[in-house]
């Protein structure tokens, strides 16, 4: 592994200027700049090796345990450029069957004092047809996760139809597929985490997965992404349902609707999901409770509040097998990826007693 990604220093210099601009526009500009650097070969000159600390999860070999969370590249348009930063896996989406613009702007807000974001983007994406075309062009060597949601215009009672359509479209191209039922920015979506609703949805998707596995000659793992805003009893019931329905992993967690940790800060009252440092402790507690209940029956992918290497180590020690980054990248840039990889590689060398 190289000691660091040279673009990290450039990001540190550029961040004050970037933070003076609209958050969503900066998001777009940063991805476009990364893509231009990749197209001109600049990222290949300083590309970080993916391998060095491999881990096997969901029957898949991950080159390293540090991944990119869904939401940063919703259309799968920047997979190779992002892969050059050294992620062992990348999750793109959330994608819906039909294109949709998402919620009205502004819809993405920084809370710098808390190293946090609030977003109410609402699954803005170009639809699954464009998404699949982008994924097919990618040459990324790590594990690729494809994250599915439902269109805002689809009634919650018909949500299964959207997830089934999405699964059919992405299945041949996915390392694994994530079922996103936990975004707070699509009306009623989180109701799919209810006992009967979840069991019915997963039973149908498991049946569809079996059909697709026969058709394509390979079994693609399914993961489910859950919210942090769940009572312990509901969390246990969800975990039991995931195991009973043959789901391969749980991703914990999505953004939170809680605001206690950012009370009084500018933008704290904005509607949407809160991510970043204020989510860290609660997301880790969800991982810890899941791990205690599951006892290894299902691997956990941890995401939420990782803004330094200690946070990544904490997630693994709580019971996760893999970690994902998003908001931390906004505040720390690509240096965060290498810090987390190095810390987790050291933890892996120390053995189980360090966990």
């Amino acid at each position: 592994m190289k000691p660091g990604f040279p673009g990290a220093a450039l990001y540190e210099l550029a961040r004050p200027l970037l933070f003076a601009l609209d958050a969503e526009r900066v998001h777009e500009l940063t991805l476009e700049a990364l893509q231009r650097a990749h197209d001109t070969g600049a990222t290949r000159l300083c590309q970080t090796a993916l391998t060095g600390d491999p881990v096997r999860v969901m029957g898949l070999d991950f080159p390293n345990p540090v991944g990119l969370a869904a939401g940063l590249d919703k259309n799968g348009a920047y997979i190779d450029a992002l892969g050059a930063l050294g992620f062992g896996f990348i999750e793109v989406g959330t994608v819906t069957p039909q294109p949709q613009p998402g919620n009205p702007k502004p819809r993405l807000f920084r809370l710098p004092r808390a190293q946090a974001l609030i977003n109410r983007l609402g699954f803005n994406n170009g639809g699954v047809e464009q998404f699949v075309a982008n994924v097919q062009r990618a040459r990324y060597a790590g594990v690729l996760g494809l994250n599915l949601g439902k269109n805002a215009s689809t009634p919650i009672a018909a949500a299964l139809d959207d997830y089934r359509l999405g699964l059919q479209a992405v299945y041949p191209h996915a390392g694994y597929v994530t079922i996103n039922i936990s975004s707070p920015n699509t009306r009623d979506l989180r109701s799919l985490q209810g006992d009967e609703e979840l069991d019915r949805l997963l039973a149908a998707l498991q049946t569809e997965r079996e059909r697709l596995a026969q058709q394509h000659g390979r079994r693609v793992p399914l993961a489910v992404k859950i919210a942090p805003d769940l009572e312990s009893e509901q969390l246990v019931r969800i975990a039991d349902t995931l195991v009973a329905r043959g789901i391969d992993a749980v991703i914990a967690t999505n953004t939170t609707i809680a605001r206690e940790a950012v009370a009084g800060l500018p933008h704290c009252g904005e509607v949407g999901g809160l991510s970043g440092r204020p989510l860290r402790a609660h997301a880790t507690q969800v991982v810890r409770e899941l791990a205690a209940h599951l006892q290894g029956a299902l691997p956990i992918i941890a995401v939420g509040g990782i803004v330094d290497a200690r946070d990544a180590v904490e997630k693994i020690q709580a019971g996760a097998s893999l970690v994902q980054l998003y908001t931390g990248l906004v505040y720390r840039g690509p240096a965060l990826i290498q810090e987390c990889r190095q810390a987790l590689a050291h933890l892996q060398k120390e053995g189980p007693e360090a966990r």
Side-chain angles (χ1 to χ4, degrees), residues 162-194:
D162 277 11
Y163 286 106
R164 187 185 282 118
L165 285 170
L167 184 60
Q168 291 167 356
V170 307
Y171 191 93
H173 316 289
Y176 68 91
V177 175
T178 297
I179 308 302
N180 186 351
I181 54 172
S182 51
S183 170
N185 301 318
T186 295
R187 185 176 179 179
D188 296 329
L189 187 73
R190 287 187 169 191
S191 68
L192 295 174
Q193 297 174 121

Side-chain angles (χ1 to χ4, degrees), residues 239-240 243 250 287-300 318-319:
D240 289 343
V243 173
V250 56
V287 171
R288 190 173 289 114
E289 290 185 28
L290 282 170
H293 180 72
L294 288 165
Q295 292 293 304
L298 197 68
I300 302 165

Side-chain angles (χ1 to χ4, degrees), residues 23 35 91 108 116 118 157 159 162 168 170 196 214 228 253 265 302 327 334:
Q35 186 63 53
E91 190 169 317
L108 181 62
I118 292 175
D162 277 11
Q168 291 167 356
V170 307
E196 293 181 5
Q214 291 182 352
T253 66
L265 295 182
T327 301

